[in-house]
Amino acid sequence: MSNILTIAFKEFKSFIKNPTFYIMMTLLTLILSALFTMQLQRFFQMGAMAMMQPGAAGQANIHYAVFLNHLQILNLILIFIVPAITMRLFSEEKKLRTFDLLLTCPLKSYEIVIGKYIGALLALFVIFLIAFLYPLGTALFAKLNWAPLLIAFLGIYLIAAVYAAMNLFCSSLSESILISYVTSAILNIAVWFVSQAVEFADTQWARNFLEHISLSFHISGLIEGTIRTNSLIYFFSAIGLFLFLNERVVESHRWR
Amino acid sequence: MIEVKQLCKDYGNIRAIDNVTFSIQKGDVVGFLGPNGAGKSTTMKIITGFMAPSSGSASVAGFDVFENPIEVKKRIGYLPETPPVYSDMFVRDYLRYVASLKQVDKAKINSFVDRAIEKTNLNQVSHRLIHHLSKGFKQRVGIAQAIVSDPEVLILDEPTVGLDPKQVAEIRDLIKELRGQHTIILSTHILPEVQATCERVVIINKGKIVAQDTIQNLSTLERGQGKVFIRLRKEIQDLAGLLKEVQGVIGVDNGANKKEWKVDYKGDEEVIGRVSEKIVSSGLGLIELSPSKVDLEDVFLKLTYGSDNKIESSEKSAQVSSHVTV
């Protein structure tokens, strides 16, 4: 356990000491700030219109109108930022031969993988802290319903965790940072397109199957503020699967 | 301390090491010698548990490398060919990180890191980013990394490659200093390094062990043989032809130009007398004649490049001796 934490903190420290991380966070803040204020403004306009038309007021909900859009933008950004965070974790180590150090230290393969994974999750947590500042700021002048908001954030964080597991696996496959970034980003986009295939499935069985493996199906509940155990099981098993594959790749270095 | 038995490793169709067997006692300093691509690094990687062999077994301190890799890795400090340093870390932080990965007691980490910094003379750079260090310092950080956990076995893969002569000397001194506290395996293709630091040598060529003995025994492997260096005033195309009749001469090699020659002989000093007599009487003008013993270099070249190809071996010899003069 201490080995896992040693690696996790080392990775997290090298993220937050790296200027690239700050550039990424600054750009993220710029995009989120611009888009969040637009959403908020639109919501107030809608509110003002609803005042003039009594009866429509019930439909305007800040959770749906502003925060869900905010999280969707965050999700879109994550598709491209998570690979940037995970790409160096294995690819760079292999390229710079520092991976030799880890393989000759008294560490088990799963300790290396989980350590690095936790390091990436900590870095992602910084992104979520930044994203959470926006609803927090809104709370200064509006009364919010915190529970569904937090669950929606948790949902997106779980998605980010799934991305991180997939992308860490991609990173372990290649010595090239570029290849690991591109395969990761494509994989992240691909999991969203699984839901598109649902419409074209012939049988009910196939439809159910595709629905269950599609991210968007499972996130829809969380994002509205309901926690379903089947979604949680889906997220954790996806994370578990990719971490397991990753562990196998690391282990294979020892007998290749 | 280290037992290697019938180790083989195949990379696809290529057999990198073939039936390698040797054992190393506690406290020995062993030089692992061989030309590039002989299988030195592969053998070392297997001993460190970095890589599995195709067949055979290796054990360190009684623990099998494959059945008990964690125990083995706790006892080994390894410096790979490229020092495994993170360029975005400070020297001290990096060493602390390695120490905790090697499962050094939390309370002892600081003193172990201090000791490693002390021994490798890194004091002046310990608060600098590794990225900003010169190659020599990076190499030293690599060595510090290997010794930071005070391992019983130290495996150094070409520790002086790419360093300037002063740094090479420093690293050799460091290795000498570590002698006695650790069992050290050192791989290199530079002979003086082995002569300067090691007690025993394992010579490996094309994946096979061709000799393993103490330096003393290897140097006197070919007893009764000698070599003289001859410098002439006049050029001669074929000294071998001239010295053909002299009894005891077994080989003549050309040196840097047609005025410099190396003559191998078997027998006592009378042979040298006969050689000089022959040269003087043929009016070539003998300027210099200096006898030299058969040293490790000759043994090495004979064993690795083969004695049948004299010309090639003398070229290599010239290359290797240029290392000495550096």
Side-chain angles (χ1 to χ4, degrees):
Chain A
M1 192 61 202
S2 72
N3 288 334
I4 294 178
L5 293 181
T6 308
I7 296 178
F9 287 130
K10 184 257 162 193
E11 294 299 347
F12 181 59
K13 264 191 219 160
S14 60
F15 278 125
I16 55 171
K17 276 186 191 165
N18 195 334
T20 325
F21 190 68
Y22 290 90
I23 295 170
M24 260 162 40
M25 293 305 107
T26 312
L27 294 174
L28 174 82
T29 317
L30 281 176
I31 295 174
L32 289 181
S33 304
L35 294 175
F36 189 80
T37 39
M38 281 182 212
Q39 306 285 350
L40 209 56
Q41 207 151 15
R42 193 183 297 156
F43 177 68
F44 283 132
Q45 279 169 0
M46 270 166 60
M49 284 195 343
M51 295 263 268
M52 289 184 271
Q53 296 171 310
Q59 286 166 12
N61 180 329
I62 196 166
H63 186 75
Y64 287 105
V66 181
F67 297 148
L68 286 197
N69 282 336
H70 177 61
L71 284 175
Q72 248 144 31
I73 293 158
L74 181 64
N75 177 42
L76 186 69
I77 296 170
L78 282 172
I79 287 179
F80 299 100
I81 270 193
V82 179
I85 283 176
T86 56
M87 65 181 181
R88 46 174 292 277
L89 288 172
F90 281 104
S91 300
E92 197 172 74
E93 293 239 25
K94 282 192 197 174
K95 190 167 201 161
L96 301 177
R97 317 293 304 162
T98 47
F99 203 47
D100 299 15
L101 174 71
L102 292 179
L103 288 183
T104 53
C105 277
L107 298 170
K108 298 198 169 70
S109 300
Y110 75 84
E111 290 175 325
I112 300 175
V113 173
I114 295 177
K116 284 182 176 287
Y117 183 61
I118 294 175
L121 287 187
L122 290 174
L124 287 176
F125 197 71
V126 175
I127 295 181
F128 277 78
L129 284 182
I130 291 173
F132 198 69
L133 289 177
Y134 297 90
L136 213 58
T138 317
L140 291 176
F141 48 87
K143 199 168 170 294
L144 302 184
N145 198 352
W146 289 107
L149 181 66
L150 285 174
I151 290 170
F153 262 90
L154 173 77
I156 299 289
Y157 190 67
L158 282 174
I159 287 209
V162 173
Y163 291 154
M166 292 194 302
N167 298 350
L168 199 63
F169 169 64
C170 292
S171 170
S172 74
L173 292 177
S174 167
E175 268 188 31
S176 151
I177 292 175
L178 185 68
I179 290 177
S180 104
Y181 182 88
V182 172
T183 48
S184 300
I186 287 175
L187 196 60
N188 290 353
I189 295 167
V191 288
W192 288 100
F193 283 106
V194 177
S195 61
Q196 304 270 310
V198 174
E199 292 170 31
F200 299 101
D202 292 336
T203 62
Q204 185 62 34
W205 180 86
R207 210 166 297 142
N208 283 345
F209 177 75
L210 287 171
E211 222 165 50
H212 275 283
I213 62 164
S214 113
L215 263 186
S216 48
F217 171 75
H218 289 282
I219 195 61
S220 58
L222 280 165
I223 217 164
E224 283 166 11
T226 48
I227 299 179
R228 288 202 209 109
T229 39
N230 67 347
S231 301
L232 290 186
I233 290 170
Y234 168 77
F235 287 126
F236 288 121
S237 48
I239 292 169
L241 171 70
F242 281 102
L243 290 185
F244 169 74
L245 291 176
N246 199 339
E247 190 267 348
R248 290 286 91 194
V249 173
V250 173
E251 185 68 20
S252 77
H253 279 272
R254 303 185 199 259
W255 47 256
R256 253 193 288 190
Chain B
M1 197 68 192
I2 300 173
E3 290 281 345
V4 174
K5 281 190 197 126
Q6 291 166 353
L7 216 55
C8 296
K9 175 75 189 177
D10 299 317
Y11 293 118
N13 290 328
I14 301 157
R15 176 148 279 200
I17 53 173
D18 189 7
N19 234 337
V20 166
T21 304
F22 61 89
S23 74
I24 293 168
Q25 304 300 315
K26 196 173 163 66
D28 275 1
V29 180
V30 177
F32 217 62
L33 211 59
N36 289 329
K40 302 186 295 280
S41 296
T42 305
T43 314
M44 292 182 129
K45 279 179 185 164
I46 292 173
I47 297 171
T48 54
F50 178 89
M51 188 190 260
S54 305
S55 66
S57 72
S59 70
V60 175
F63 295 100
D64 191 277
V65 171
F66 320 104
E67 279 156 25
N68 228 330
I70 300 288
E71 290 301 321
V72 169
K73 286 173 190 174
K74 274 185 199 165
R75 288 167 173 75
I76 281 184
Y78 173 50
L79 171 71
E81 277 167 291
T82 343
V85 292
Y86 294 98
S87 50
D88 60 344
M89 286 178 99
F90 295 101
V91 173
R92 184 173 285 272
D93 290 349
Y94 169 70
L95 292 176
R96 290 176 56 92
Y97 173 60
V98 176
S100 57
L101 284 185
K102 298 257 177 178
Q103 297 173 359
V104 173
D105 250 10
K106 276 219 166 64
K108 289 186 191 156
I109 285 182
N110 271 327
S111 62
F112 274 49
V113 167
D114 285 337
R115 198 183 54 100
I117 288 178
E118 190 76 32
K119 280 204 169 155
T120 46
N121 267 327
L122 285 169
N123 278 312
Q124 42 173 334
V125 297
S126 68
H127 291 288
R128 283 178 64 183
L129 272 182
I130 294 177
H131 182 68
H132 295 150
L133 298 183
S134 67
K135 191 170 164 55
F137 270 121
K138 275 186 192 156
Q139 189 75 18
R140 274 201 249 171
V141 175
I143 295 177
Q145 165 273 127
I147 62 173
V148 74
S149 58
D150 196 20
E152 293 170 45
V153 179
L154 211 50
I155 296 183
L156 308 174
D157 198 348
E158 306 197 352
T160 57
V161 88
L163 301 183
D164 71 33
K166 185 167 172 287
Q167 292 165 333
V168 170
E170 278 171 3
I171 298 231
R172 274 183 208 160
D173 287 344
L174 174 68
I175 292 168
K176 274 187 216 162
E177 213 177 287
L178 294 171
R179 201 153 58 180
Q181 308 154 39
H182 310 267
T183 306
I184 302 176
I185 307 184
L186 180 93
S187 94
T188 181
H189 53 261
I190 303 167
L191 284 135
E193 196 159 286
V194 172
Q195 276 170 315
T197 50
C198 302
E199 292 143 7
R200 281 188 55 213
V201 196
V202 174
I203 299 180
I204 184 169
N205 187 36
K206 290 180 186 151
K208 289 193 170 114
I209 288 189
V210 287
Q212 51 173 326
D213 215 327
T214 59
I215 290 198
Q216 189 62 34
N217 286 350
L218 278 181
S219 316
T220 51
L221 190 66
E222 313 254 331
R223 213 179 292 273
Q225 273 201 26
K227 198 172 220 174
V228 283
F229 174 77
I230 293 168
R231 193 196 299 276
L232 305 170
R233 194 160 46 77
K234 287 185 189 156
E235 286 189 358
I236 176 165
Q237 288 307 314
D238 187 21
L239 190 70
L242 185 72
L243 295 177
K244 201 164 53 189
E245 301 121 39
V246 179
Q247 207 192 348
V249 172
I250 51 174
V252 179
D253 286 327
N254 197 194
N257 52 45
K258 290 286 175 200
K259 290 177 181 175
E260 289 174 6
W261 297 84
K262 285 177 193 149
V263 177
D264 289 308
Y265 67 92
K266 199 175 184 112
D268 51 16
E269 283 153 353
E270 277 177 35
V271 184
I272 302 177
R274 285 201 292 272
V275 168
S276 62
E277 218 170 88
K278 183 83 185 170
I279 291 172
V280 172
S281 64
S282 54
L284 289 166
L286 185 62
I287 298 174
E288 187 184 335
L289 187 149
S290 46
S292 61
K293 259 194 250 165
V294 177
D295 58 7
L296 197 55
E297 211 160 274
D298 299 277
V299 177
F300 174 68
L301 292 170
K302 204 159 276 172
L303 290 169
T304 54
Y305 292 98
S307 49
D308 49 351
N309 201 341
K310 273 276 173 191
I311 313 254
E312 192 200 14
S313 84
S314 72
E315 273 169 12
K316 299 288 190 232
S317 167
Q319 266 178 23
V320 178
S321 45
S322 70
H323 281 296
V324 191
T325 48
V326 165

